[in-house]
Amino acid sequence: MFTTSFTAEQQRELAKKLATFLSQYSHLSDSYIIEFFTEDLWHTLPSSWQPVLQDLSYPQIADLLLDATHEDRRYPSVWPLSLLAFRATAHALAFPRESRSEGCRVGGSVKPKEFLENHSQSSLLGHIFRKHVKPKKQHEIRKLGTLVKQLCEQTDCNRVVDVGSGQGHLTRFLSFGLGLSVTAIEADPTLVAMASKFDGQLVWALEKEKQKKNCSSHIPAQNFPRHIAGWVNPKASWEAFIGQLKAADHVSEGPPTPSGPSKKKLRGSVQQGSLHVVQTSYARSDSNSQESELSKQQKSKKMSGVEFVDEKCCSCIHSDSHEGVYSEEDSLQGYPNFVLTGLHACGDLSATLLRHFVKCPHVRGITSVACCYMKITTKENPTPPGLVIPPAPPTPDQESVQSEFGYPMSSWVSGLSGHQLSYKAREGACHALEDYVRRLREESELLRSHCYRAMLETFIRDTRPDLRRAGIQTIKKSHLLPFTEYARLGLARVGLPPELPLDLGRVEAMLKEQGRVVVYFSLSLLLAPVVETMVLLDRMIYLQENGWTIDAVT
């Protein structure tokens, strides 16, 4: 992991190396595995690579190519230096993704000790916080929640704003479990309603436990989260964002209704006066709200820490002080400070939260676990597939806001030749290389899926050359089906006749290419952590450019 020796200059130098490397191998990161046959992708590889890779077994692909920690490398043939350099460079440039916490290696992967006794229940998370939560999410909310709590203690701030809160799993752990005052904002009203329902169920469970213990204590009012149904506009100012949060403070107060699994009434009551609101709110950008004098003064602030936690890109940053003076006329004067957090903040949302952290004087710290890099806006692709559509048409003042994209954020990376990351490259960065390594070592039948889809693509284009990369969604247990049955189901999903005749000779020939398909996908997957590193490093440099001094990155 990086330490204090990782200077700003070293960050910029690493970004330059990443841009050079990724642009050199963009043909790999930009390719679609479903076009393996239609675009003859195998023969786009260097001719010296093809003979040494085509006969590798699946475990050999994992050990010799993908797993950077594997030490006992036994090559069945002599690899060309260019291939060895490609592998070594990809591993060297990428940020480490291994967990720093204690764990045991099971089946080639690190399994947290909290799941050793029960694979579906974390032993370190209370049972009331595990309800409706899958194991991976249990681990995440416990780790991130603990980190947020530490950050609140370091910044002397008890308020947290959870953006993109979904069903409120992290929010409940922060509020009821760790005693923090939490405001949760989520764009999907359905998820907000579910979060409120789950809050009520948790309160019901707490009340039931208190009755068993003959305890008359009440849940502190500040522990009840505030829920806002609202879309955080990436183009809006931080003042507009604070306006969304203030809306929750003006809604009538009232506790969540305890809702258990039955209609039985509970004795006792929940303390009145606790906030639990659902308020629809959308931020509007203001073309007149340019960088204030306060924001300019903030550039001298110092950032005391950045941390990447466990699986994905969780960055924890907190400020030692927020300098600057508001005018007495400022309507936002006196708004309480808070820590900003987001678990799986999708697309541009992570970049937006970082910009609010830099510019807003009320944000004392931030933790952000990013996801869905392919939904990040870029100059080359300002409206990528899957981009969240604003709840209302943009107003003239919104359209006039200066263009800010999710990548790149920093001026340094923007100026680098070859810094561009395609939609496909960013989509690939979301893939878990570690999971694929496990499949390879297990020689899982799931490895057949990519070959099946690439074969189907050839028959689709034979009939409809204009129908490229058509979405067929997931076909359940496709790896257990013969290809003819898989094709019948897939053709129907793209509007082609299921009984379309297939050349069985071609089918058999392409099935024999499955090993090559897996090798090619593995080569492109090797670049996934490198692309993710480029996105994260750009954000770190953006913070440096805005006056933050990073004391440590661990």
Side-chain angles (χ1 to χ4, degrees), residues 399-420:
E399 294 177 342
S400 63
V401 174
Q402 60 180 0
S403 295
E404 287 186 328
F405 299 105
Y407 174 85
M409 295 183 68
S410 69
S411 298
W412 174 260
V413 173
S414 299
L416 293 177
S417 175
H419 74 271
Q420 294 83 0

Side-chain angles (χ1 to χ4, degrees), residues 288-351:
N288 296 321
S289 60
Q290 302 297 324
E291 184 178 12
S292 62
E293 185 64 30
L294 172 62
S295 298
K296 295 177 181 178
Q297 294 181 33
Q298 279 185 273
K299 293 182 183 294
S300 62
K301 293 188 295 186
K302 183 178 181 181
M303 183 177 66
S304 58
V306 179
E307 182 168 0
F308 296 95
V309 177
D310 283 17
E311 296 95 341
K312 295 299 284 184
C313 48
C314 176
S315 56
C316 163
I317 309 133
H318 76 264
S319 63
D320 292 323
S321 63
H322 278 277
E323 302 173 350
V325 180
Y326 271 113
S327 64
E328 293 183 356
E329 294 79 19
D330 196 322
S331 62
L332 300 178
Q333 184 180 19
Y335 191 82
N337 295 330
F338 57 89
V339 167
L340 201 55
T341 190
L343 178 56
H344 300 162
C346 183
D348 276 1
L349 187 54
S350 291

